[in-house]
Amino acid sequence: MTRSSLTPIEPAGDPADGRAALGHLPGQHDEVVGDPVVLGQLGRHAGLRQPCDPRPAFVAQRVVLGRDDERPREAPDVRGTERRRVAVAGRRMIGEVVAPEPDHVLTGEEIAAAVLAHRHGVEARLERGVDEDERLRLRATTVAREEAERGGEVAAGADHRERRAELEDFIRRRPKVREYAAFRARMDREGTTWPTWAPGSLNQDWTDPLFKRYILCQFWADGQITALGRNSRDWGLRGLYLDLPLGVHSDSYDTWQYKEHFARGVSAGAPPDAFFTLGQDWGFPPLHPSRIRDLGHEYFREVLDFHAAASAMLRVDHVMGLFRLYWIPWGMGPKAGAYVRYPAEELLALFCLASVRNHCSLVGEDLGTVPPAVRPAMCSRGIDRLYVAQFSIHPVNPVLDLPPDNAIACVNTHDLPPFAAFWLGTDIDDRQDLGLFDHEQAASEHADRRQLRGALLGELGLSAKDDGDGEDSTLAIDPTEVLGLLVERLRRSSCRGLLVNMEDLWAAVEPQNVPGTWKERPNWRRKAKISLDDLESSAGWKCLKKWFESAETIS
């Protein structure tokens, strides 16, 4: 593969946006393109009507696509119908949703609230379009029961037999979607999550419009992801780079269907460290290490096959979790947790099997506190590491640790500040604002960061003019210029691939995610500053295109 790859296309991870962005990509072969949380985004918060936590760790399931097709108008069955107009009308500008006063400047909290309200409003409109409003009945997607002797197999009541056959084949390939659709239908009716339900089985009733809705949305979403992967290969790329999230929401379909696989009364997280001084409580239930073995790793195998089948490259979030995971008893906080060991040899073997079966390469996110056995085990199995440049800069020689040949390199990740924020030190101010630093600690961090800037400028052949006024002259250097030289240095290293964050191309300073926060920061809710229509003419994209066009292919 080449030394350049691309991620993400857009923070919200939409298949339609992914297809549109492919048309702008430079023609480099053997690369991957994608959003590292695309399947997680499609699986978030399914059925939860109240405002919800949008963190990727809180996906609603990992064995089916659960976002239920945020853009059904892309499905061939509904193009040109009134349903399309409903979907388009639902995607209005934030200003129309909030309706502020003419001179009012929206705060971050107001924008985040507007985006959530906007999403819930669109979902409600789309649901009415399928389930309640006869005007918007889909003429091409009515579902009918087949004869009982055919075992209850169902075909779409589409105008074309080809689409009916495609739906039948999809249900045969993915039988779990029938139970999932029944699960979602019951959740919608009861308006609560499954731990509060009375005992009873799910009703797979093909006359139920809610059940039909979720079957069809799964069908459409599966088709869109498949088409996106096919289109990426048509553009000379290897395929999609996707993310395998570490956990799922405690009220998800997965925790209902595979109850015995999960531990209850605890949540996964991380202990306090130098970067996250208060520790982290991620809120989702961990897998139970002995029960998953007794149950033949059924759930884990389902998750791996589902993700690997759609990926050319799969990023494994928090790969140390295959070895040990930090458990936190409910209500006790991160400082009261303890590490629990997992059957790593067995889990790694399952990853290798899924990789070979699906021709999918693996990348382990091995950042943070890494047990000594993790990286050798990854290396011996051909699982690449993740190298982060912002963690690899030092004030003295060697100023920049270059990535090893078994690593996918990146400047930062979605859990770190964008490069412009790192360069300017605004992430330090943000952490002080969150109470993670006091004033003296923040001042010390700023002094250390100034040293890093000066050392990196010298390493890259740049210099900052000192006017003798005591001001920090390194801050006058354009962070985009520094980024370009840094990316060039990484591209010429022996690393397996290079990931470039799109938001770094226009010097974004607000992070997509601040780990350990939820309501404190509007994580995962900001759309990209530049639309796909304007992307190709942007200065940042032209820089990226130049890097791609000059990329050397690894033989």
Side-chain angles (χ1 to χ4, degrees), residues 347-396:
L347 298 178
L348 286 167
L350 292 175
F351 268 99
C352 293
L353 286 172
S355 172
V356 171
R357 279 200 302 263
N358 295 281
H359 306 285
C360 168
S361 60
L362 301 173
V363 182
E365 187 264 293
D366 58 337
L367 308 177
T369 305
V370 183
V374 173
R375 285 170 180 154
M378 292 170 59
C379 183
S380 66
R381 292 165 175 81
I383 301 175
D384 289 332
R385 293 179 49 194
L386 194 65
Y387 162 96
V388 179
Q390 287 177 193
F391 287 157
S392 306
I393 304 170
H394 311 289
V396 296

Short mmCIF file of all heavy atoms in Angstrom, two decimals, residues 347-396:
data_model
loop_
_atom_site.label_atom_id
_atom_site.label_comp_id
_atom_site.label_asym_id
_atom_site.label_seq_id
_atom_site.Cartn_x
_atom_site.Cartn_y
_atom_site.Cartn_z
N LEU A 347 -8.92 -14.72 21.89
CA LEU A 347 -9.51 -13.57 21.21
C LEU A 347 -8.66 -13.14 20.02
O LEU A 347 -9.19 -12.80 18.95
CB LEU A 347 -9.67 -12.41 22.20
CG LEU A 347 -10.61 -12.69 23.39
CD1 LEU A 347 -10.66 -11.48 24.32
CD2 LEU A 347 -12.02 -13.04 22.91
N LEU A 348 -7.33 -13.15 20.17
CA LEU A 348 -6.46 -12.82 19.05
C LEU A 348 -6.61 -13.82 17.92
O LEU A 348 -6.56 -13.45 16.73
CB LEU A 348 -5.01 -12.76 19.52
CG LEU A 348 -4.61 -11.54 20.37
CD1 LEU A 348 -3.26 -11.75 21.02
CD2 LEU A 348 -4.61 -10.27 19.53
N ALA A 349 -6.80 -15.09 18.26
CA ALA A 349 -7.01 -16.10 17.22
C ALA A 349 -8.28 -15.82 16.43
O ALA A 349 -8.31 -15.98 15.20
CB ALA A 349 -7.08 -17.49 17.86
N LEU A 350 -9.32 -15.38 17.11
CA LEU A 350 -10.57 -15.04 16.42
C LEU A 350 -10.37 -13.85 15.48
O LEU A 350 -10.92 -13.82 14.37
CB LEU A 350 -11.66 -14.73 17.44
CG LEU A 350 -12.14 -15.92 18.29
CD1 LEU A 350 -13.14 -15.45 19.34
CD2 LEU A 350 -12.78 -16.99 17.42
N PHE A 351 -9.59 -12.88 15.90
CA PHE A 351 -9.28 -11.74 15.04
C PHE A 351 -8.54 -12.20 13.78
O PHE A 351 -8.84 -11.76 12.67
CB PHE A 351 -8.43 -10.71 15.79
CG PHE A 351 -9.24 -9.65 16.48
CD1 PHE A 351 -9.52 -9.73 17.83
CD2 PHE A 351 -9.73 -8.57 15.76
CE1 PHE A 351 -10.26 -8.75 18.46
CE2 PHE A 351 -10.48 -7.58 16.38
CZ PHE A 351 -10.74 -7.67 17.73
N CYS A 352 -7.55 -13.08 13.96
CA CYS A 352 -6.78 -13.56 12.82
C CYS A 352 -7.66 -14.33 11.85
O CYS A 352 -7.53 -14.18 10.62
CB CYS A 352 -5.62 -14.42 13.29
SG CYS A 352 -4.36 -13.51 14.21
N LEU A 353 -8.56 -15.15 12.36
CA LEU A 353 -9.47 -15.90 11.49
C LEU A 353 -10.36 -14.95 10.69
O LEU A 353 -10.55 -15.14 9.48
CB LEU A 353 -10.32 -16.86 12.33
CG LEU A 353 -9.62 -18.10 12.87
CD1 LEU A 353 -10.53 -18.84 13.85
CD2 LEU A 353 -9.20 -19.02 11.74
N ALA A 354 -10.92 -13.96 11.37
CA ALA A 354 -11.79 -12.99 10.66
C ALA A 354 -11.00 -12.22 9.62
O ALA A 354 -11.51 -11.93 8.53
CB ALA A 354 -12.42 -12.04 11.68
N SER A 355 -9.75 -11.88 9.92
CA SER A 355 -8.91 -11.16 8.99
C SER A 355 -8.66 -11.97 7.73
O SER A 355 -8.77 -11.47 6.60
CB SER A 355 -7.59 -10.79 9.66
OG SER A 355 -6.68 -10.24 8.74
N VAL A 356 -8.31 -13.25 7.89
CA VAL A 356 -8.02 -14.10 6.74
C VAL A 356 -9.28 -14.37 5.92
O VAL A 356 -9.27 -14.28 4.69
CB VAL A 356 -7.39 -15.43 7.21
CG1 VAL A 356 -7.28 -16.42 6.05
CG2 VAL A 356 -6.01 -15.17 7.82
N ARG A 357 -10.37 -14.67 6.60
CA ARG A 357 -11.61 -14.99 5.88
C ARG A 357 -12.10 -13.82 5.05
O ARG A 357 -12.68 -14.01 3.97
CB ARG A 357 -12.70 -15.41 6.87
CG ARG A 357 -12.63 -16.83 7.34
CD ARG A 357 -13.97 -17.29 7.91
NE ARG A 357 -14.41 -16.46 9.00
CZ ARG A 357 -14.22 -16.77 10.30
NH1 ARG A 357 -13.58 -17.87 10.63
NH2 ARG A 357 -14.67 -15.97 11.25
N ASN A 358 -11.91 -12.61 5.54
CA ASN A 358 -12.48 -11.43 4.88
C ASN A 358 -11.44 -10.57 4.17
O ASN A 358 -11.78 -9.49 3.69
CB ASN A 358 -13.23 -10.58 5.93
CG ASN A 358 -14.42 -11.29 6.52
OD1 ASN A 358 -15.48 -11.36 5.91
ND2 ASN A 358 -14.26 -11.84 7.71
N HIS A 359 -10.18 -11.04 4.10
CA HIS A 359 -9.12 -10.29 3.43
C HIS A 359 -9.04 -8.86 3.99
O HIS A 359 -9.00 -7.88 3.25
CB HIS A 359 -9.35 -10.26 1.92
CG HIS A 359 -9.52 -11.61 1.32
ND1 HIS A 359 -8.48 -12.48 1.12
CD2 HIS A 359 -10.64 -12.26 0.89
CE1 HIS A 359 -8.94 -13.60 0.58
NE2 HIS A 359 -10.23 -13.49 0.44
N CYS A 360 -9.03 -8.77 5.29
CA CYS A 360 -9.08 -7.49 6.00
C CYS A 360 -7.86 -7.36 6.89
O CYS A 360 -7.59 -8.23 7.72
CB CYS A 360 -10.37 -7.42 6.83
SG CYS A 360 -10.44 -6.07 8.01
N SER A 361 -7.08 -6.29 6.71
CA SER A 361 -5.93 -6.06 7.59
C SER A 361 -6.39 -5.42 8.89
O SER A 361 -7.43 -4.76 8.94
CB SER A 361 -4.89 -5.19 6.89
OG SER A 361 -5.43 -3.93 6.54
N LEU A 362 -5.60 -5.62 9.95
CA LEU A 362 -5.98 -5.17 11.28
C LEU A 362 -4.98 -4.15 11.81
O LEU A 362 -3.77 -4.27 11.60
CB LEU A 362 -6.04 -6.36 12.24
CG LEU A 362 -7.02 -7.49 11.89
CD1 LEU A 362 -6.84 -8.66 12.84
CD2 LEU A 362 -8.45 -6.98 11.92
N VAL A 363 -5.52 -3.15 12.52
CA VAL A 363 -4.70 -2.13 13.17
C VAL A 363 -5.17 -2.03 14.62
O VAL A 363 -6.36 -1.80 14.87
CB VAL A 363 -4.86 -0.76 12.50
CG1 VAL A 363 -3.95 0.26 13.18
CG2 VAL A 363 -4.55 -0.84 11.01
N GLY A 364 -4.27 -2.24 15.56
CA GLY A 364 -4.63 -2.17 16.97
C GLY A 364 -4.33 -0.80 17.55
O GLY A 364 -3.21 -0.29 17.42
N GLU A 365 -5.32 -0.18 18.17
CA GLU A 365 -5.13 1.12 18.83
C GLU A 365 -4.47 0.84 20.18
O GLU A 365 -5.12 0.46 21.15
CB GLU A 365 -6.48 1.82 19.00
CG GLU A 365 -6.37 3.25 19.52
CD GLU A 365 -6.55 3.33 21.02
OE1 GLU A 365 -7.66 3.07 21.49
OE2 GLU A 365 -5.56 3.68 21.70
N ASP A 366 -3.13 0.98 20.20
CA ASP A 366 -2.33 0.58 21.36
C ASP A 366 -1.76 1.79 22.10
O ASP A 366 -0.59 1.80 22.48
CB ASP A 366 -1.19 -0.35 20.93
CG ASP A 366 -0.28 0.29 19.89
OD1 ASP A 366 -0.73 1.23 19.20
OD2 ASP A 366 0.88 -0.14 19.77
N LEU A 367 -2.58 2.80 22.31
CA LEU A 367 -2.15 4.01 22.98
C LEU A 367 -2.46 3.93 24.47
O LEU A 367 -3.32 3.16 24.90
CB LEU A 367 -2.83 5.23 22.36
CG LEU A 367 -2.72 5.34 20.83
CD1 LEU A 367 -3.49 6.55 20.33
CD2 LEU A 367 -1.27 5.40 20.41
N GLY A 368 -1.80 4.77 25.25
CA GLY A 368 -2.06 4.78 26.68
C GLY A 368 -1.16 3.77 27.41
O GLY A 368 -0.05 3.46 26.98
N THR A 369 -1.66 3.25 28.54
CA THR A 369 -0.91 2.29 29.34
C THR A 369 -1.02 0.92 28.70
O THR A 369 -2.08 0.29 28.72
CB THR A 369 -1.44 2.26 30.78
OG1 THR A 369 -1.42 3.59 31.33
CG2 THR A 369 -0.61 1.34 31.64
N VAL A 370 0.08 0.44 28.12
CA VAL A 370 0.06 -0.80 27.35
C VAL A 370 0.83 -1.88 28.11
O VAL A 370 2.03 -1.73 28.37
CB VAL A 370 0.69 -0.59 25.96
CG1 VAL A 370 0.60 -1.87 25.13
CG2 VAL A 370 0.01 0.57 25.24
N PRO A 371 0.19 -3.00 28.47
CA PRO A 371 0.91 -4.10 29.11
C PRO A 371 2.04 -4.61 28.21
O PRO A 371 1.93 -4.58 26.98
CB PRO A 371 -0.17 -5.17 29.31
CG PRO A 371 -1.46 -4.42 29.30
CD PRO A 371 -1.25 -3.27 28.37
N PRO A 372 3.14 -5.09 28.80
CA PRO A 372 4.32 -5.49 28.00
C PRO A 372 4.03 -6.56 26.95
O PRO A 372 4.70 -6.60 25.92
CB PRO A 372 5.30 -6.01 29.06
CG PRO A 372 4.88 -5.35 30.34
CD PRO A 372 3.40 -5.20 30.25
N ALA A 373 3.04 -7.42 27.18
CA ALA A 373 2.79 -8.53 26.25
C ALA A 373 2.02 -8.12 25.01
O ALA A 373 1.97 -8.89 24.04
CB ALA A 373 2.02 -9.64 26.99
N VAL A 374 1.43 -6.93 25.00
CA VAL A 374 0.49 -6.58 23.93
C VAL A 374 1.19 -6.42 22.58
O VAL A 374 0.82 -7.05 21.59
CB VAL A 374 -0.27 -5.29 24.30
CG1 VAL A 374 -1.12 -4.82 23.11
CG2 VAL A 374 -1.17 -5.53 25.50
N ARG A 375 2.19 -5.57 22.49
CA ARG A 375 2.80 -5.26 21.19
C ARG A 375 3.53 -6.46 20.58
O ARG A 375 3.42 -6.68 19.37
CB ARG A 375 3.70 -4.03 21.32
CG ARG A 375 2.88 -2.75 21.43
CD ARG A 375 3.69 -1.54 21.79
NE ARG A 375 2.84 -0.34 21.87
CZ ARG A 375 3.11 0.72 22.60
NH1 ARG A 375 4.22 0.74 23.34
NH2 ARG A 375 2.29 1.76 22.62
N PRO A 376 4.29 -7.26 21.35
CA PRO A 376 4.86 -8.47 20.74
C PRO A 376 3.79 -9.42 20.21
O PRO A 376 3.98 -10.04 19.15
CB PRO A 376 5.66 -9.10 21.89
CG PRO A 376 6.00 -7.95 22.79
CD PRO A 376 4.83 -7.03 22.71
N ALA A 377 2.68 -9.55 20.94
CA ALA A 377 1.61 -10.43 20.47
C ALA A 377 0.99 -9.91 19.19
O ALA A 377 0.67 -10.68 18.27
CB ALA A 377 0.53 -10.56 21.55
N MET A 378 0.82 -8.59 19.09
CA MET A 378 0.31 -8.00 17.85
C MET A 378 1.27 -8.24 16.69
O MET A 378 0.87 -8.64 15.59
CB MET A 378 0.08 -6.50 18.04
CG MET A 378 -1.03 -6.14 19.00
SD MET A 378 -1.03 -4.36 19.40
CE MET A 378 -1.23 -3.62 17.78
N CYS A 379 2.55 -8.00 16.93
CA CYS A 379 3.55 -8.12 15.87
C CYS A 379 3.63 -9.55 15.35
O CYS A 379 3.70 -9.77 14.13
CB CYS A 379 4.91 -7.67 16.41
SG CYS A 379 6.24 -7.70 15.18
N SER A 380 3.59 -10.54 16.24
CA SER A 380 3.71 -11.93 15.81
C SER A 380 2.51 -12.39 15.00
O SER A 380 2.60 -13.39 14.28
CB SER A 380 3.89 -12.83 17.04
OG SER A 380 2.71 -12.84 17.84
N ARG A 381 1.40 -11.67 15.08
CA ARG A 381 0.18 -12.04 14.35
C ARG A 381 -0.10 -11.10 13.17
O ARG A 381 -1.17 -11.20 12.56
CB ARG A 381 -1.01 -12.06 15.30
CG ARG A 381 -0.93 -13.19 16.33
CD ARG A 381 -1.90 -12.99 17.48
NE ARG A 381 -1.90 -14.12 18.38
CZ ARG A 381 -0.99 -14.32 19.33
NH1 ARG A 381 0.01 -13.46 19.49
NH2 ARG A 381 -1.06 -15.39 20.12
N GLY A 382 0.81 -10.20 12.90
CA GLY A 382 0.61 -9.31 11.76
C GLY A 382 -0.41 -8.22 11.98
O GLY A 382 -0.96 -7.68 11.02
N ILE A 383 -0.67 -7.87 13.24
CA ILE A 383 -1.60 -6.78 13.56
C ILE A 383 -0.78 -5.50 13.72
O ILE A 383 0.11 -5.42 14.57
CB ILE A 383 -2.39 -7.07 14.85
CG1 ILE A 383 -3.18 -8.37 14.70
CG2 ILE A 383 -3.33 -5.91 15.17
CD1 ILE A 383 -3.89 -8.80 15.98
N ASP A 384 -1.03 -4.52 12.88
CA ASP A 384 -0.24 -3.30 12.90
C ASP A 384 -0.55 -2.46 14.14
O ASP A 384 -1.64 -2.52 14.71
CB ASP A 384 -0.52 -2.46 11.65
CG ASP A 384 0.07 -3.10 10.40
OD1 ASP A 384 1.08 -3.81 10.52
OD2 ASP A 384 -0.49 -2.88 9.31
N ARG A 385 0.43 -1.65 14.52
CA ARG A 385 0.28 -0.71 15.62
C ARG A 385 -0.26 0.61 15.10
O ARG A 385 -0.35 0.85 13.90
CB ARG A 385 1.62 -0.48 16.29
CG ARG A 385 2.21 -1.65 17.02
CD ARG A 385 3.55 -1.25 17.61
NE ARG A 385 3.44 0.02 18.35
CZ ARG A 385 4.48 0.74 18.74
NH1 ARG A 385 5.72 0.35 18.46
NH2 ARG A 385 4.30 1.87 19.41
N LEU A 386 -0.58 1.50 16.04
CA LEU A 386 -0.98 2.86 15.71
C LEU A 386 0.06 3.82 16.28
O LEU A 386 0.32 3.82 17.49
CB LEU A 386 -2.36 3.18 16.28
CG LEU A 386 -3.05 4.44 15.75
CD1 LEU A 386 -3.37 4.29 14.27
CD2 LEU A 386 -4.33 4.73 16.53
N TYR A 387 0.68 4.59 15.40
CA TYR A 387 1.68 5.59 15.81
C TYR A 387 1.04 6.97 15.76
O TYR A 387 0.37 7.32 14.79
CB TYR A 387 2.87 5.53 14.86
CG TYR A 387 3.77 6.75 14.88
CD1 TYR A 387 4.91 6.79 15.66
CD2 TYR A 387 3.47 7.87 14.10
CE1 TYR A 387 5.74 7.92 15.67
CE2 TYR A 387 4.28 9.00 14.10
CZ TYR A 387 5.41 9.02 14.89
OH TYR A 387 6.22 10.12 14.89
N VAL A 388 1.26 7.79 16.81
CA VAL A 388 0.70 9.13 16.88
C VAL A 388 1.84 10.13 17.02
O VAL A 388 2.59 10.11 18.01
CB VAL A 388 -0.28 9.26 18.06
CG1 VAL A 388 -0.83 10.68 18.14
CG2 VAL A 388 -1.43 8.27 17.92
N ALA A 389 1.96 11.03 16.05
CA ALA A 389 3.08 11.98 16.04
C ALA A 389 3.05 12.91 17.25
O ALA A 389 4.11 13.26 17.79
CB ALA A 389 3.06 12.79 14.75
N GLN A 390 1.86 13.34 17.68
CA GLN A 390 1.79 14.29 18.79
C GLN A 390 2.30 13.69 20.10
O GLN A 390 2.62 14.43 21.04
CB GLN A 390 0.35 14.81 18.94
CG GLN A 390 -0.02 15.78 17.84
CD GLN A 390 -1.45 16.27 17.89
OE1 GLN A 390 -1.93 16.86 16.94
NE2 GLN A 390 -2.17 16.03 18.97
N PHE A 391 2.38 12.36 20.18
CA PHE A 391 2.97 11.70 21.33
C PHE A 391 4.45 11.41 21.12
O PHE A 391 5.10 10.87 22.03
CB PHE A 391 2.26 10.37 21.62
CG PHE A 391 0.89 10.52 22.22
CD1 PHE A 391 -0.04 9.51 22.09
CD2 PHE A 391 0.53 11.65 22.93
CE1 PHE A 391 -1.31 9.63 22.65
CE2 PHE A 391 -0.72 11.79 23.49
CZ PHE A 391 -1.65 10.77 23.35
N SER A 392 4.99 11.74 19.95
CA SER A 392 6.33 11.28 19.58
C SER A 392 7.31 12.45 19.39
O SER A 392 8.36 12.27 18.78
CB SER A 392 6.26 10.45 18.30
OG SER A 392 5.33 9.40 18.44
N ILE A 393 6.95 13.64 19.87
CA ILE A 393 7.79 14.82 19.75
C ILE A 393 8.44 15.09 21.11
O ILE A 393 7.78 15.04 22.15
CB ILE A 393 6.96 16.05 19.31
CG1 ILE A 393 6.23 15.75 17.99
CG2 ILE A 393 7.85 17.27 19.15
CD1 ILE A 393 5.22 16.81 17.61
N HIS A 394 9.75 15.37 21.09
CA HIS A 394 10.51 15.58 22.33
C HIS A 394 11.29 16.89 22.25
O HIS A 394 11.65 17.33 21.15
CB HIS A 394 11.47 14.41 22.55
CG HIS A 394 10.85 13.07 22.41
ND1 HIS A 394 9.96 12.56 23.33
CD2 HIS A 394 10.95 12.13 21.43
CE1 HIS A 394 9.57 11.36 22.94
NE2 HIS A 394 10.14 11.08 21.78
N PRO A 395 11.58 17.51 23.38
CA PRO A 395 12.30 18.79 23.37
C PRO A 395 13.79 18.63 23.07
O PRO A 395 14.47 19.61 22.77
CB PRO A 395 12.08 19.34 24.78
CG PRO A 395 11.82 18.13 25.62
CD PRO A 395 11.11 17.16 24.74
N VAL A 396 14.33 17.40 23.17
CA VAL A 396 15.74 17.15 22.88
C VAL A 396 15.85 16.01 21.89
O VAL A 396 14.88 15.27 21.65
CB VAL A 396 16.52 16.82 24.17
CG1 VAL A 396 16.52 18.01 25.12
CG2 VAL A 396 15.93 15.60 24.87
#
